[in-house]
Amino acid sequence: MRITGGLLRHWQDRNRQSTIPHTIEQLRSAGNVDNLSRLLLDDPPAYRGRYPFLDTDLYKTLEGLAYEIGAGGADAGVREFFDEVVGLLERVQAEDGYLNSFFQDPAAAKKPWEDLAWGHELYNLGHLIQAAVAASRRMGDGRLLDVAVQFADLAVRRFGEGRDEATCGHPEVEMALVELYRETGERDYLIQASLFVDRRGHGHLKHRIFSPEYFQDHLPFRDLPSVTGHAVRMAYLAAGATDLYLESGDRTLLDALDRLWDDMVATKLYLTGGLGSRHSDEAIGDRYELPSERAYSETCAAIATMQWAWRMFVATGGAKYLDVFERVLFNAYAVGLSADGKAFFYDNPLQRRPDHEQRSGAETGGEPLRRSWFTCPCCPPNIVRWMAQLGDYVAVERRDALCIALYAESRIETDALTVNVETAYPWDGDVRLMVERAPDRPYAIKLRIPAWARDVTLDGEPVTAEDGWLTVERNWAEGDALRLHLPMPVRGHVSHPRLDATRGAVGVARGPLVYCVEQQDSPAPVDDLVLSADHIAAADISSPLAELPGAVVLRLAPDVVPASSLELYPEFTAEHPAAKGTVTVPVTLVPYFLWGNRRPEAMRVWIRAQ
């Protein structure tokens, strides 16, 4: 599968040309590479960085680079960086296979495996494995796989059956070990992944700072009533458990996963697909606890949610998982990166108030919007690797049928069939599939019909989806084509009545995209805009945007109803029409993922409803 054009191709090109070079530069300047090379010195300088798990930022980047190098699109500097870091890892790995630039330092305050709750050594291993598998599959380069296998073998010897029953404070290694099993055929890795999932909730992890719930360690996984605790940890754990189900067929796992998924989507997921409502512990929060201006919705949590969603789709064939995958991809994930590819959001709120300062309570300064890097830079390299591998999530082949999961201009080849897809999705709902090569037998093409789509047509005729899929089975021939049309009217969303934070407000969407209003695009305070159903129905679809040629923006004319004295907004004087009472003003709504690329001003996803 190869993405050949459209928005996703634009994203991948930006990743290769801008985000990857920027990330490599930041990893060098922040000391991630030096943390490895210093271990070769007799008297190494001090470890650089606040956290003992910064090797993972190298591993996530290497995973993305493996995709780029394997596709032939990486320049010499990228290959040089890949070879340099892999060479360092080979040289500094301990004889027993252990690898961690913080704990291998003789001057480290703690010893290896001493602090599994916060040391993240197994989390590091997980990202190392995923980079290694990517390099093996995409590049045919087994050097990193050899390093990962040695470290994984050490983990099995230490934490295997009948040994230390501890587990990692940050799940991630579970899905990586399953992938290592798939790559090598070594069943010990699959068993170890199962042990790590099943040990949670039995008191084996030594907690401090936060409660067991933060670590998903207060109950066994199968007994969790709801997704809970640290959002990234929760989604990674669920993704690993889904991988285990895929290999074992353990129905008790799938039953738990289905229950947790449905509860999350119904009560704990933002309109944008963001997961996590609490800044204090980066946690998911209670059911319907979804404040807009304090939404945490960490970018890593968006990636983790997509990883879980994809695995649930693979496990069940359910289109509902892909609906969430798509919603997260185009909103909660995409917003984490600036239009130029060199600045990032760590958390992704759905509202910015006029006087907000984008910093944590521990900081005395900081950029007002996106930042070029972070003290805990887990999100930028995660964006790099996920962006590089988006082609893996376009389609799958299941039981002699090609299932189109994600609409993008692309070329899809199976052993039996080659299909070229032409579309401007998500800006436009027209999708054209052209068969270039076909088998000499009946074969099915299954098209996902998103849950938001109504009045869908295929080759001009109305069609009805079954469980989110439209199936066309026939004897295909070269030159055959299908024309799918997914109408994209502008629509309004209201939240569940139990969700206090957005009661009396409306969110605006079109296709898979959620929209927002920035103060730059409204002549009246965004807090005083009031939208009705008629306003939304009359929205004008316009393009382009300077930040992204071809992007669709929405032009509306909402009412302005000041909720309080305009003295709160000194920039709006008494001469402005909004000061004279209820008026109508022209407003532009932009895709949520594009907000924050201009001046740091107010922003709203949820707008007051009439």
Side-chain angles (χ1 to χ4, degrees):
M1 295 172 286
R2 186 166 58 90
I3 297 171
T4 56
L7 179 62
L8 296 189
R9 180 66 186 189
H10 169 78
W11 285 355
Q12 290 194 315
D13 289 343
R14 179 185 60 186
N15 191 49
R16 182 180 66 256
Q17 298 164 6
S18 181
T19 311
I20 285 176
H22 173 81
T23 299
I24 290 174
E25 178 185 349
Q26 294 296 322
L27 289 169
R28 289 194 184 281
S29 63
N32 297 64
V33 178
D34 290 343
N35 282 339
L36 289 174
S37 61
R38 74 192 178 94
L39 296 180
L40 299 173
L41 304 176
D42 293 333
D43 185 20
Y47 178 88
R48 292 175 60 188
R50 181 183 297 177
Y51 302 103
F53 46 81
L54 297 179
D55 292 351
T56 57
D57 302 316
L58 289 170
Y59 300 152
K60 285 179 278 191
T61 303
L62 292 180
E63 184 180 350
L65 299 192
Y67 275 82
E68 292 295 340
I69 296 170
D75 61 27
V78 168
R79 182 61 196 245
E80 179 183 338
F81 181 82
F82 182 91
D83 288 337
E84 176 188 353
V85 175
V86 172
L88 283 172
L89 293 170
E90 289 178 311
R91 295 173 66 189
V92 305
Q93 186 170 31
E95 290 186 6
D96 65 356
Y98 186 83
L99 184 57
N100 183 289
S101 66
F102 177 85
F103 289 103
Q104 281 181 262
D105 185 349
K110 295 182 180 180
K111 297 178 181 179
W113 312 121
E114 185 178 334
D115 186 9
L116 287 174
W118 292 103
H120 290 26
E121 291 138 290
L122 291 168
Y123 168 79
N124 275 27
L125 170 60
H127 280 299
L128 172 61
I129 290 171
Q130 288 174 325
V133 170
S136 177
R137 292 176 180 171
R138 298 289 168 164
M139 300 170 56
D141 187 333
R143 293 176 297 162
L144 201 55
L145 188 63
D146 290 341
V147 172
V149 163
Q150 292 181 61
F151 196 1
D153 287 345
L154 173 65
V156 170
R157 291 195 300 272
R158 182 177 182 90
F159 301 104
E161 291 183 288
R163 298 182 176 92
D164 189 340
E165 293 188 338
T167 188
C168 187
H170 197 310
E172 208 281 340
V173 72
E174 296 82 0
M175 54 179 158
L177 285 168
V178 175
E179 205 62 45
L180 188 60
Y181 157 70
R182 291 169 178 158
E183 183 70 8
T184 66
E186 177 53 63
R187 194 165 182 82
D188 282 349
Y189 304 139
L190 181 64
I191 294 171
Q192 189 63 57
S194 181
L195 289 172
F196 282 146
V197 169
D198 289 341
R199 284 172 182 168
R200 303 193 89 83
H202 293 283
H204 298 303
L205 189 65
K206 296 178 181 178
H207 312 112
R208 57 186 177 84
I209 303 177
F210 293 117
S211 69
E213 184 179 23
Y214 170 88
F215 301 93
Q216 297 81 41
D217 195 39
H218 58 302
L219 290 170
F221 179 81
R222 292 168 180 79
D223 296 336
L224 290 175
S226 179
V227 292
T228 189
H230 187 276
V232 183
R233 286 167 163 86
M234 180 70 243
Y236 277 165
L237 176 62
T242 312
D243 273 331
L244 284 172
Y245 166 74
L246 284 164
E247 297 301 329
S248 69
D250 182 348
R251 186 71 199 191
T252 64
L253 273 176
L254 185 61
D255 290 344
L257 288 160
D258 271 332
R259 183 184 70 254
L260 292 170
W261 177 271
D262 290 343
D263 181 73
M264 176 187 73
V265 173
T267 70
K268 296 189 174 182
L269 212 60
Y270 280 94
L271 178 63
T272 58
L275 180 66
S277 60
R278 295 182 179 177
H279 283 241
S280 61
D281 50 0
E282 300 184 321
I284 293 170
D286 300 330
R287 291 184 177 95
Y288 305 110
E289 182 189 343
L290 296 169
S292 291
E293 68 270 58
R294 295 300 295 163
Y296 199 66
S297 296
E298 184 182 335
T299 300
C300 283
I303 294 171
T305 303
M306 286 188 283
Q307 289 180 314
W308 184 17
W310 183 261
R311 284 160 171 79
M312 291 297 287
F313 158 62
V314 173
T316 68
K320 69 178 183 179
Y321 305 108
L322 295 175
D323 286 342
V324 173
F325 181 102
E326 180 179 75
R327 175 154 54 114
V328 176
L329 173 65
F330 286 116
N331 299 286
Y333 165 71
V335 73
L337 182 62
S338 63
D340 68 1
K342 296 182 179 181
F344 311 88
F345 278 144
Y346 194 107
D347 54 297
N348 297 288
L350 281 71
Q351 180 179 351
R352 185 183 192 274
R353 296 192 181 277
D355 56 345
H356 179 68
E357 293 184 353
Q358 181 80 7
R359 59 178 66 118
S360 72
E363 295 171 321
T364 57
E367 295 87 343
L369 288 173
R370 290 180 174 88
R371 306 184 187 190
S372 61
W373 207 245
F374 302 96
T375 304
C376 177
C378 55
C379 297
N382 225 0
I383 289 174
V384 165
R385 68 166 181 147
W386 194 253
M387 201 71 80
Q389 61 188 260
L390 282 180
D392 284 1
Y393 306 100
V394 171
V396 299
E397 191 175 31
R398 296 171 62 92
R399 304 181 189 92
D400 219 24
L402 179 66
C403 305
I404 309 295
L406 188 65
Y407 293 114
E409 191 167 321
S410 54
R411 180 178 175 83
I412 305 167
E413 298 183 64
T414 75
D415 289 341
L417 188 77
T418 299
V419 173
N420 291 301
V421 181
E422 291 183 356
T423 182
Y425 196 90
W427 310 119
D428 188 284
D430 291 325
V431 183
R432 185 167 184 256
L433 292 86
M434 294 160 290
V435 175
E436 183 178 304
R437 178 177 57 90
D440 187 21
R441 65 180 189 277
Y443 189 93
I445 295 179
K446 297 172 70 70
L447 306 172
R448 182 178 64 87
I449 306 302
W452 50 260
R454 302 289 186 274
D455 302 321
V456 177
T457 62
L458 183 68
D459 295 332
E461 297 295 324
V463 289
T464 303
E466 183 177 346
D467 295 327
W469 294 100
L470 180 62
T471 303
V472 183
E473 184 172 6
R474 65 176 69 155
N475 281 85
W476 300 94
E478 180 182 350
D480 284 351
L482 293 173
R483 293 174 178 82
L484 178 69
H485 177 61
L486 303 169
M488 288 186 173
V490 181
R491 63 185 190 274
H493 289 263
V494 295
S495 56
H496 193 283
R498 293 180 185 171
L499 208 167
D500 297 328
T502 49
R503 187 180 295 127
V506 60
V508 179
R510 180 177 179 269
L513 296 173
V514 173
Y515 281 74
C516 67
V517 58
E518 291 188 88
Q519 191 59 71
Q520 293 95 327
D521 300 317
S522 172
V526 297
D527 291 342
D528 289 342
L529 300 178
V530 179
L531 276 180
S532 69
D534 289 340
H535 293 141
I536 294 171
D540 177 55
I541 300 170
S542 304
S543 65
L545 275 180
E547 293 87 348
L548 187 64
V552 171
V553 299
L554 309 179
R555 316 285 186 184
L556 294 87
D559 294 333
V560 178
V561 182
S564 58
S565 171
L566 284 173
E567 293 176 0
L568 291 173
Y569 304 101
E571 65 270 34
F572 297 99
T573 68
E575 297 178 0
H576 194 280
K580 301 174 183 178
T582 301
V583 296
T584 297
V585 296
V587 170
T588 298
L589 271 62
V590 300
Y592 170 72
F593 78 81
L594 280 174
W595 95 272
N597 284 290
R598 295 174 288 178
R599 300 186 307 274
E601 295 189 1
M603 179 276 293
R604 272 184 173 269
V605 167
W606 290 98
I607 301 169
R608 286 165 58 195
Q610 193 174 76

